[in-house]
Amino acid sequence: MPNEKYSFSFTQNEVKEFLKQVTNRKKGLIQQICWIVIFFGLIVLAYLSGFVFTLLKGIFIGILIIYCLLLILSYYRTKKIIKEGRTRIATNTYIYEFFDDYVLVAILDETSARTVQIKYTDMTVKSLKNHYAVFYANQYYFLRKSDLPENAKIKEL
């Protein structure tokens, strides 16, 4: 018999808010900008050097244009995948059952149910602005702070 039991469904705005707090996309963006700067530098060097053939200058420009187009395409694909992930999270229901040594998380969607048993020693709890984020096996599980009682087990972890 569980000591505590909570059920959560999240709105799109909530999902967007807490995913923004646990995700760091700056590293990837900075890396892509560095690659663009390197390609730009190569083009500038090619134009400054009188020994580079015109064909090579055109190849540099072509590579830069293709790379920029691939970045834009990748951005829109990633944006679409993130939106689908947020929608999936918002349409699921999450049921948390806290026992003495572990928490049982049931994820229910329209067609299926999935259950995860997480030992307290194997998880990391992060306090966000309005939620708690439980990190286990490269996956986050979220609990809304306002729906938890003062003596909730998650607050002790």
Side-chain angles (χ1 to χ4, degrees):
M1 197 73 181
N3 299 333
E4 301 174 28
K5 185 174 182 178
Y6 308 105
S7 179
F8 298 98
S9 292
F10 301 107
T11 65
Q12 286 279 352
N13 289 336
E14 274 184 303
V15 173
K16 189 175 183 178
E17 175 193 333
F18 60 63
L19 287 180
K20 214 181 260 188
Q21 293 176 43
V22 296
T23 319
N24 184 5
R25 294 190 194 103
K26 290 179 184 177
K27 181 182 175 183
L29 183 63
I30 290 171
Q31 188 178 28
Q32 296 302 323
I33 290 172
C34 287
W35 283 112
I36 290 174
V37 168
I38 289 170
F39 274 116
F40 236 0
L42 289 174
I43 290 173
V44 169
L45 287 175
Y47 276 103
L48 292 177
S49 172
F51 301 110
V52 178
F53 300 110
T54 307
L55 177 65
L56 193 54
K57 291 177 189 177
I59 290 173
F60 280 147
I61 292 173
I63 289 172
L64 181 64
I65 290 170
I66 290 170
Y67 184 71
C68 288
L69 290 175
L70 289 174
L71 281 179
I72 292 168
L73 179 65
S74 174
Y75 169 77
Y76 284 110
R77 279 190 192 158
T78 304
K79 192 173 178 179
K80 180 182 175 187
I81 290 169
I82 289 171
K83 185 177 179 182
E84 289 171 355
R86 284 194 305 240
T87 302
R88 182 181 44 79
I89 291 170
T91 57
N92 290 344
T93 301
Y94 298 85
I95 300 172
Y96 296 86
E97 294 179 349
F98 287 85
F99 294 89
D100 290 333
D101 297 334
Y102 64 94
V103 61
L104 195 64
V105 182
I107 302 136
L108 311 171
D109 63 19
E110 299 162 348
T111 59
S112 65
R114 178 171 71 102
T115 305
V116 179
Q117 180 178 330
I118 308 170
K119 291 184 179 180
Y120 295 136
T121 56
D122 295 339
M123 69 183 195
T124 305
V125 178
K126 186 176 182 180
S127 180
L128 305 176
K129 184 178 177 184
N130 297 316
H131 300 84
Y132 285 105
V134 174
F135 186 71
Y136 171 75
N138 292 327
Q139 180 80 32
Y140 279 104
Y141 302 92
F142 298 96
L143 295 95
R144 191 178 301 112
K145 286 182 177 180
S146 62
D147 291 352
L148 300 173
E150 189 67 33
N151 62 344
K153 178 82 172 175
I154 192 75
K155 294 180 180 182
E156 299 170 8
L157 303 174

